[in-house]
Amino acid sequence: ILDVAISRGSIAMVTLPAVNTLPVDRELINLVVGMIRRLLARGFSYQDDGEIGSLSPEDIGVVVSRRAQVGALTQALSSIGNIYVETANRFQGLQHRVVFTLHPLSGKIRPDEFSIHSGRMCVATTRHRICCVIVGREGIGESLGRYVPDDDRFLGQQNDPVFLGWKAHELLLSELERTDRIVKAA
């Protein structure tokens, strides 16, 4: 799974089967932990802006959308090393060579305004220097397709944040599908 994801470009997505879950999805967490263990066990070398080295836990970051996910992943990764795990809001301005990110709409029956916000996904997919692997559940596109917002509307305004978030998520998934960058984990 990791080889295929990495070989498909600097941003790829790995998915598990569609299941409605709570924000702390143990299967997704285990998948991220397994991919990070495998990545480190392989002893990858990198060349990054003239710097050459071997990938270490400090080179890896994990971006999530909720604080409960930070706690669960930090605990699950504690035996591996110093891997930085944080929410997208707190990850802003930081960079790591490799970033894994939990898709904020993964496992949701229906997107909400918090999860659909384009800023979180923007931060999550732009904090890597070499590679970003988005990890989520299948069915995100279908959930977006059924989405009818019931939050406050911004009629008469050009920048409706809910619509912009919906469109950003749809475009990202569409581009990942078009370029064959989505890998099924199971």
Side-chain angles (χ1 to χ4, degrees):
I1 296 167
L2 186 60
D3 287 342
V4 174
I6 291 173
S7 71
R8 297 207 177 159
S10 64
I11 299 178
M13 183 170 187
V14 175
T15 61
L16 287 173
V19 173
N20 297 326
T21 66
L22 295 172
V24 176
D25 183 338
R26 293 289 172 194
E27 278 188 281
L28 283 184
I29 288 171
N30 291 338
L31 179 60
V32 170
V33 171
M35 286 191 291
I36 289 174
R37 283 187 192 282
R38 184 68 183 136
L39 186 66
L40 291 168
R42 295 185 63 187
F44 277 105
S45 295
Y46 62 83
Q47 181 174 350
D48 183 13
D49 281 345
E51 186 179 339
I52 298 172
S54 296
L55 195 67
S56 69
E58 292 77 19
D59 294 315
I60 301 171
V62 182
V63 182
V64 298
S65 55
R66 304 214 179 249
R67 296 291 308 150
Q69 295 167 327
V70 172
L73 269 158
T74 299
Q75 182 179 17
L77 292 166
S78 63
S79 65
I80 298 176
N82 191 22
I83 296 170
Y84 188 76
V85 181
E86 197 48 88
T87 63
N89 292 357
R90 294 183 180 197
F91 218 103
Q92 288 187 41
L94 302 176
Q95 288 187 333
H96 282 78
R97 288 191 170 86
V98 176
V99 170
F100 289 85
T101 184
L102 295 185
H103 196 292
L105 297 174
S106 179
K108 288 193 157 292
I109 296 172
R110 182 181 181 286
D112 58 22
E113 189 173 346
F114 177 85
S115 300
I116 207 166
H117 192 280
S118 61
R120 283 180 193 82
M121 203 63 206
C122 177
V123 169
T125 57
T126 59
R127 302 294 87 205
H128 65 285
R129 295 186 54 81
I130 298 171
C131 177
C132 174
V133 179
I134 302 165
V135 183
R137 295 267 179 194
E138 294 173 354
I140 294 169
E142 291 81 2
S143 178
L144 285 168
R146 292 187 309 267
Y147 180 59
V148 176
D150 61 1
D151 305 293
D152 293 336
R153 301 292 9 118
F154 292 83
L155 297 175
Q157 293 183 16
Q158 291 286 354
N159 296 322
D160 177 342
V162 175
F163 174 75
L164 293 175
W166 173 83
K167 191 66 177 166
H169 283 283
E170 184 183 70
L171 287 171
L172 175 64
L173 284 176
S174 158
E175 184 64 13
L176 290 171
E177 288 173 359
R178 187 187 70 74
T179 56
D180 195 29
R181 294 185 192 194
I182 299 177
V183 181
K184 292 182 181 189

